[in-house]
Amino acid sequence: MRIGVITFPGSLDDRDAIRAVAIAGATPVALWHGEHDLQGVDAIILPGGFSYGDYLRAGAIASHAPIMAEVISAADRGVPVLGICNGFQMLAEARLVPGAHTRNAHQQFIRRDQRMRVENVRTDWTNQFTAGQEITIPLKNADGRFVADADTLARIEDNGQVVFRYIGVNPNGSLNDIAGVANERGNVVGLMPHPEHATEPGFGPDTELAMASGVDGLPFFESVIASFAAAV
Amino acid sequence: MTTATPSPVAADTVANAAATPDREQPYAALGLKPEEYASIREILGRRPTSGELAMYSVMWSEHCSYKSSKPYLRQFGSKTTEKMRRNLMVGMGENAGVVDVGNGWAVTFKIESHNHPSYIEPFQGAATGVGGIVRDIISMGARPVAVMDALRFGDIDDPDTARVVHGVVSGISFYGNCLGLPNIGGETYFDSVYQANPLVNALAVGVLRHEDLHLANARGVGNKVVLFGARTGGDGIGGASILASDSFSEGGPTKRPAVQVGDPFAEKVLIECCLELFQQELVEGIQDLGAAGISCATSELASNGDGGMFIELENVLLRDPTLTAEEILMSESQERMMAIVRPEKLDGFLAVVTKWDVETSVLGEVTDTGRLIINWHGEEIVNVEPRTVAVDGPVYNRPVSYPTWIDALNADSASALARPTTPEELREQVFRLLGSANLADKRWITNQYDTYVLGNTALSFPDDGGMVRVDEESGLGFAVATDANGRYCQLDPYHGAQLALAEAFRNVAVTGATPVAVSDCLNFGSPENPEVMWQFSRAVEGLADGCMAMEIPVTGGNVSFYNQTGDVPIHPTPVVAVLGTIDDVAKRIPSGWQDDGNNIYLLGVTREELDGSAWAGVIHDHLGGTPPTVDLAAELRLADLIAAANEENIISSAHDLADGGLAQAVVESVLRFGVGARIWLGEIIERDGIDAATALFSESTGRVIVSVPREDDVKFRGLCEGRDYPALRIGVTDSQDTLEIQDVFTATIDELRAAHRSPLPERFGATIG
């Protein structure tokens, strides 16, 4: 399976996403924002970072990049798309997932190992988790507060589009403690925490067992590989 | 490529300068002394043009020319032996030192001050401090991979401190995070001596393959001089000459316009763009634009190369078309680089910068005239020998005098202070230290920094040093730590500097890495004060002697003078950064206990050394006496012992003892992973002939606590005996959620954590998470 990772000007965690894809056993493909070529990849990751310096609004300028036209049409065809942090903001700006993001409620950039619960295990990116599984994934953002109007919020809650919910601490003031959401079809998922930073033992969050040994992010990538295998 | 809008502003030409020798020039306002101005006239054989005056004034400033420090800094070269150079690819004098770390990899690192801007405009000052040091790293051909900051603020309870802390921390967070560089360590101190003069020392580390090494020189007649990156604006004009080289005075004019404004997005794009230029071998030489902007870049590149350069200054792309030629020469606008490009490679160069949407203009070319000539709309406004600007600036042998006050200070030992004796008093003082500003948990700050980005961070705060993987195949990596204790240096700058070196060395050694190189940031008061010059001369000598004794070279760094308010200088604060290497980061050693049932050993001996200690400061508000004994040979043996134990995989943690002594180290080891312990002091007290307070609070050097799994106990003891390093079993980790210091007190981990974590949030707002 080939998974594309798009680099935008100001993308920061693109190399990490590429590494995580390889660790999970798929082939990473580096894609460039200024092109229209998805190189026939089977899934797409919009990585974290500060594309265009978060100018205007986080993710707003990148969501109009040439390659995003291809991402939107691929998403419509059912190609799995994962937006991480800044990638989540791009997905929201491109209207591929519901909601929007504002400055963290406490106004600071925050980096922490975040507990969250997997609320929906039927998406292309979460099918290898168990329902209600609690995981720890690094989070780091300045504009991570998920917001939506009351109707949207009710709708996505009813539809099961809320895929991840913060537990313990709500790190940014997100409504309903929402950490990640999906589109209705479940092939497009966006979340604030960074699963790619919890895929390699020794470089992830601390666990009860050992320092930096957390790999709760691996099932994201294993899920999309499983989805692909099931579809072929 | 875009062309600049021609500006109609007429400039002072060389011809005009020759014709009007008597014109009054504002050299004093630009920071030049009368004799320096006279010297410029002598060099040129005429008065300088206003453009030349601008160039000389910034390049001859203390910040750029090191005119007061140069005679002392030479020791770092003369005291570097051949053996110390064995891993050194690039030493002092370039943008940053480069160290061979094996397997074809090299690491470059440097620490630099951004103190004065960070007081005037803390957010932008600190942000651009990160930006500047990162560009130094890119200039070497390296990919920047980590940053850290050594910070000194005023009294934590002073109302102005919160302003500076919030600004500096959010500036570093904003810039570093947006740049995608993990912040892996550093230090934060509060002391009223830094009240109106905080220290913001930014460190960056980069990695490169040997063949990617680049240097700042302009060689090859006919090669193009290209300026790329952000446009040039009116920010930071005179930053180096006026700000960094003068003291703040009460009621003086506001200096805010001289602080630069940073755009980390532009810098991130510039990093990727430069790396692609290097990869395609499209640049011959490269230099970042920092202090003194185009003046510095052109004169340094020309001095280090074939000696001649011709520039058409109107080709500089401007943010503000009304800028004069002098302002363009002096502007310190951020996120700019200057490259030397072969004419046949210019198209390839332009293709890469276009891909990254980086604006670029060709300013001129390398010549063999031996002169740096700058034209402005066809008229010659600068014609100088570049070395006279960049290299052969004035050098001062400033008067040095032994401080009148220092004997009295040294005589005032902490040994006369009342010490706690009862368990209640000892407990109370352990908690007061734990919750004091300098020993408190700093996560309010560090939680605002990204440590994960790039995916190679093996250790970061609160561990003693930061560690990053360089090579994903082999696990090869580096560790780095910064240290300085201004209180010790106030008591004795020679040994104070060596103590900073010893602590940074130890902090790297306890991570499992082998120290290999040093960078330093020497923060002092005014060099025009002979007592400050004495402090400076002693500190440099101490550091250079120390580096020779420990056989690790100084590879670069920075001097920051004029850190004072009115006539009161800061404590001498030579921040020492030590870089180490490790063949596989999987062998890293954490600073805290992870498992119960491990034996805890104290390595090294404890002497009655409370002078200058955190205990004397926090409990008695006292600073006097002489700092702890320095034994660099013992530090080397200790580092070897830890390396040997780690090689045999028989230690599960190691934590250095420094500020706050054993008590603080034990608490930090408990809190790192929340694993409790039982500690006994009896044998330390008996062996070393000291009291309980000394055992807990003394800051004797050469000490580390390690935890050892039970099954490795015999082996570990054998190792210590074989190497004849003092080792004493002082406790055991346990599954109780408490720290028990036998016969003194027992505290729960929650109590300890609350005391340790509360000081910063109480002043600066809640810690998130």
Side-chain angles (χ1 to χ4, degrees):
Chain A
M1 181 186 192
R2 298 169 73 244
I3 301 178
V5 177
I6 304 174
T7 297
F8 298 85
S11 287
L12 305 177
D13 304 277
D14 44 345
R15 289 159 24 120
D16 308 276
I18 284 172
R19 186 191 296 114
V21 165
I23 289 171
T27 304
V29 179
L31 302 176
W32 181 245
H33 74 109
E35 292 170 358
H36 281 277
D37 187 1
L38 290 176
Q39 298 185 30
V41 295
D42 306 305
I44 300 161
I45 295 175
L46 308 182
F50 286 79
S51 60
Y52 295 96
D54 274 359
Y55 300 141
L56 187 56
R57 287 184 311 277
I61 300 174
S63 71
H64 293 282
I67 205 164
M68 284 302 287
E70 314 311 320
V71 172
I72 291 166
S73 79
D76 290 344
R77 291 196 308 274
V79 172
V81 179
L82 178 67
I84 301 166
C85 195
N86 192 221
F88 184 16
Q89 293 158 341
M90 291 175 207
L91 290 179
E93 288 285 341
R95 300 282 182 268
L96 285 173
V97 294
H101 301 89
T102 64
R103 189 87 183 156
N104 292 345
H106 47 76
Q107 303 296 313
Q108 287 175 358
F109 183 98
I110 176 70
R111 186 258 322 145
R112 69 190 309 273
D113 294 344
Q114 179 67 44
R115 297 283 293 161
M116 57 182 194
R117 188 167 55 238
V118 186
E119 303 279 29
N120 176 344
V121 295
R122 297 177 312 280
T123 78
D124 283 337
W125 297 94
T126 56
N127 58 54
Q128 297 299 299
F129 289 107
T130 54
Q133 188 175 339
E134 296 188 354
I135 58 177
T136 302
I137 303 286
L139 168 127
K140 49 200 185 85
N141 63 64
D143 292 330
R145 182 172 184 242
F146 180 86
V147 294
D149 60 73
D151 289 349
T152 304
L153 214 50
R155 191 183 77 242
I156 63 175
E157 289 284 5
D158 288 350
N159 284 349
Q161 285 176 254
V162 175
V163 185
F164 305 100
R165 223 182 285 277
Y166 299 120
I167 50 179
V169 170
N170 179 334
N172 44 32
S174 290
L175 297 181
N176 292 15
D177 298 332
I178 291 172
V181 298
N183 64 351
E184 288 188 30
R185 190 168 173 174
N187 62 314
V188 182
V189 170
L191 81 164
M192 254 317 127
H194 286 254
E196 78 280 18
H197 286 300
T199 55
E200 188 182 11
F203 300 90
D206 291 345
T207 69
E208 291 286 308
L209 291 175
M211 175 174 69
S213 63
V215 290
D216 287 352
L218 261 186
F220 284 79
F221 306 94
E222 292 165 348
S223 294
V224 75
I225 293 170
S227 279
F228 178 71
V232 178
Chain B
M1 207 171 109
T2 344
T3 38
T5 326
S7 164
V9 180
D12 185 23
T13 63
V14 171
N16 188 42
T20 56
D22 300 326
R23 189 209 267 192
E24 292 266 327
Q25 294 193 281
Y27 63 84
L30 291 168
L32 286 167
K33 310 279 185 217
E35 56 275 19
E36 292 171 340
Y37 178 67
S39 162
I40 294 167
R41 292 188 68 122
E42 195 185 321
I43 289 167
L44 294 173
R46 56 172 165 79
R47 75 161 174 87
T49 65
S50 51
E52 289 164 343
L53 185 65
M55 289 183 80
Y56 279 105
S57 73
V58 284
M59 290 303 290
W60 284 16
S61 68
E62 187 64 60
H63 185 77
C64 293
S65 72
Y66 294 88
K67 57 191 170 189
S68 303
S69 55
K70 232 181 218 173
Y72 298 96
L73 300 179
R74 290 189 183 117
Q75 291 174 68
F76 290 133
S78 65
K79 290 179 180 172
T80 299
T81 63
E82 272 314 305
K83 189 179 171 203
M84 288 158 73
R85 280 197 189 92
R86 65 195 181 280
N87 296 321
L88 204 53
M89 292 173 66
V90 174
M92 284 182 41
E94 285 288 342
N95 284 308
V98 181
V99 181
D100 177 5
V101 298
N103 296 354
W105 290 98
V107 172
T108 177
F109 79 127
K110 189 181 176 187
I111 185 164
E112 202 167 71
S113 63
H114 228 220
N115 302 340
H116 288 150
S118 300
Y119 177 64
I120 297 176
E121 170 50 286
F123 182 91
Q124 291 295 349
T128 55
V130 177
I133 193 67
V134 166
R135 282 194 304 283
D136 275 334
I137 296 302
I138 309 172
S139 303
M140 303 310 296
R143 171 178 282 280
V145 295
V147 293
M148 57 176 25
D149 305 274
L151 307 176
R152 304 287 184 286
F153 299 112
D155 187 334
I156 195 169
D157 288 316
D158 188 283
D160 189 52
T161 300
R163 172 189 74 92
V164 180
V165 167
H166 275 278
V168 165
V169 172
S170 52
I172 292 168
S173 164
F174 158 76
Y175 205 101
N177 294 339
C178 191
L179 212 47
L181 295 178
N183 193 317
I184 57 168
E187 30 166 11
T188 307
Y189 282 91
F190 297 90
D191 192 311
S192 58
V193 298
Y194 306 108
Q195 195 62 55
N197 204 313
L199 303 184
V200 176
N201 293 179
L203 176 144
V205 192
V207 303
L208 64 157
R209 299 292 298 169
H210 288 184
E211 60 271 22
D212 290 335
L213 181 63
H214 278 74
L215 297 176
N217 56 47
R219 292 222 166 85
V221 173
N223 285 346
K224 300 298 178 188
V225 179
V226 183
L227 182 66
F228 63 115
R231 287 185 168 230
T232 299
D235 50 334
I237 289 175
S241 56
I242 297 172
L243 271 185
S245 306
D246 200 359
S247 318
F248 292 125
S249 45
E250 297 279 343
T254 172
K255 289 175 174 175
R256 190 190 286 262
V259 179
Q260 313 88 329
V261 175
D263 177 356
F265 169 64
E267 179 129 324
K268 167 63 181 173
V269 171
L270 200 54
I271 292 174
E272 300 302 331
C273 177
C274 284
L275 290 169
E276 194 163 331
L277 291 169
F278 298 149
Q279 196 196 352
Q280 297 189 25
E281 299 181 359
L282 294 169
V283 297
E284 304 304 305
I286 189 158
Q287 166 83 304
D288 68 303
L289 274 74
I294 292 175
S295 296
C296 178
T298 53
S299 58
E300 286 194 352
L301 280 165
S303 300
N304 296 339
D306 292 346
M309 189 182 279
F310 174 69
I311 297 289
E312 290 175 298
L313 197 63
E314 67 274 16
N315 289 344
V316 174
L317 301 177
L318 301 178
R319 234 176 265 167
D320 171 0
T322 67
L323 290 183
T324 64
E326 295 79 14
E327 288 170 327
I328 295 168
L329 286 170
M330 293 172 82
S331 164
E332 297 187 358
S333 287
Q334 300 290 292
E335 294 93 23
R336 297 180 299 164
M337 303 286 285
M338 187 172 280
I340 305 300
V341 183
R342 286 173 184 272
E344 66 272 22
K345 290 190 174 178
L346 190 60
D347 286 344
F349 183 98
L350 295 175
V352 172
V353 294
T354 303
K355 174 188 167 188
W356 288 100
D357 288 328
V358 170
E359 289 195 296
T360 302
S361 61
V362 177
L363 300 190
E365 60 185 42
V366 178
T367 66
D368 57 4
T369 60
R371 310 289 292 181
L372 169 59
I373 294 172
I374 300 181
N375 276 14
W376 176 246
H377 297 289
E379 295 192 289
E380 190 175 279
I381 60 164
V382 171
N383 186 334
V384 297
E385 192 188 330
R387 286 187 63 87
T388 65
V389 179
V391 184
D392 301 326
V395 175
Y396 293 139
N397 286 301
R398 302 271 194 197
V400 171
S401 75
Y402 185 76
T404 52
W405 42 265
I406 202 161
D407 288 339
L409 185 69
N410 290 153
D412 178 22
S413 170
S415 58
L417 303 173
R419 281 187 224 163
T421 51
T422 67
E424 294 73 26
E425 288 171 340
L426 287 162
R427 179 192 161 99
E428 192 258 344
Q429 295 197 358
V430 167
F431 271 84
R432 272 174 69 190
L433 280 163
L434 181 60
S436 64
N438 294 333
L439 298 179
D441 185 285
K442 301 298 190 307
R443 76 185 56 214
W444 182 87
I445 294 170
T446 58
N447 280 8
Q448 298 184 48
Y449 300 152
D450 187 352
T451 52
Y452 278 106
V453 67
L454 301 181
N456 289 313
T457 306
L459 291 174
S460 63
F461 22 71
D463 291 313
D464 293 299
M467 185 183 286
V468 171
R469 178 173 59 181
V470 170
D471 179 7
E472 295 187 23
E473 297 294 314
S474 64
L476 173 73
F478 66 81
V480 62
T482 67
D483 282 293
N485 186 320
R487 286 165 56 84
Y488 291 163
C489 293
Q490 181 74 359
L491 299 179
D492 178 348
Y494 181 91
H495 291 105
Q498 293 194 339
L499 286 161
L501 172 68
E503 189 182 345
F505 190 96
R506 205 182 314 124
N507 277 330
V508 166
V510 295
T511 66
T514 307
V516 293
V518 170
S519 177
D520 57 44
C521 189
L522 307 171
N523 306 277
F524 287 78
S526 167
E528 294 163 42
N529 174 344
E531 295 187 344
V532 168
M533 275 319 284
W534 179 84
Q535 292 175 321
F536 181 76
S537 69
R538 293 297 291 158
V540 170
E541 197 179 342
L543 186 55
D545 289 349
C547 286
M548 193 159 67
M550 303 190 96
E551 298 197 304
I552 53 172
V554 174
T555 63
N558 158 247
V559 178
S560 174
F561 278 129
Y562 296 100
N563 292 292
Q564 57 184 59
T565 304
D567 291 334
V568 185
I570 59 163
H571 288 164
T573 312
V575 174
V576 178
V578 169
L579 179 88
T581 59
I582 183 164
D583 58 2
D584 185 354
V585 298
K587 296 182 188 168
R588 67 192 151 179
I589 310 170
S591 64
W593 302 322
Q594 295 194 74
D595 303 302
D596 59 9
N598 281 193
N599 285 324
I600 301 165
Y601 282 88
L602 173 63
L603 306 179
V605 294
T606 307
R607 305 180 197 90
E608 194 180 303
E609 294 184 312
L610 292 163
D611 291 356
S613 67
W615 174 81
V618 171
I619 306 296
H620 294 282
D621 191 21
H622 178 269
L623 176 61
T626 53
T629 315
V630 184
D631 185 348
L632 299 176
E635 300 286 358
L636 286 168
R637 284 165 51 228
L638 175 61
D640 280 347
L641 172 60
I642 291 166
N646 193 40
E647 198 53 46
E648 301 210 26
N649 199 21
I650 55 175
I651 51 175
S652 52
S653 76
H655 189 27
D656 125 272
L657 270 66
D659 306 26
L662 178 66
Q664 181 70 15
V666 164
V667 172
E668 287 172 357
S669 296
V670 167
L671 293 179
R672 177 70 180 88
F673 297 106
V675 171
R678 195 153 42 85
I679 303 287
W680 45 88
L681 301 176
E683 290 168 59
I684 308 173
I685 290 170
E686 192 178 326
R687 183 193 66 181
D688 296 340
I690 51 175
D691 62 346
T694 303
L696 285 171
F697 303 126
S698 166
E699 297 182 3
S700 294
T701 61
R703 295 186 304 161
V704 165
I705 45 173
V706 296
S707 59
V708 180
R710 281 233 166 92
E711 60 272 25
D712 298 316
D713 200 64
V714 175
K715 215 171 181 181
F716 180 76
R717 281 172 179 270
L719 202 61
C720 296
E721 277 161 26
R723 288 164 181 266
D724 197 25
Y725 206 85
L728 207 54
R729 191 165 82 94
I730 60 160
V732 61
T733 62
D734 63 28
S735 56
Q736 311 293 313
D737 288 331
T738 55
L739 170 65
E740 179 188 354
I741 311 257
Q742 273 186 1
D743 306 322
V744 184
F745 69 86
T746 299
T748 66
I749 292 179
D750 287 344
E751 282 178 284
L752 295 167
R753 187 181 286 127
H756 195 220
R757 287 195 183 174
S758 60
L760 269 63
E762 277 170 9
R763 275 83 169 190
F764 306 130
T767 301
I768 292 91

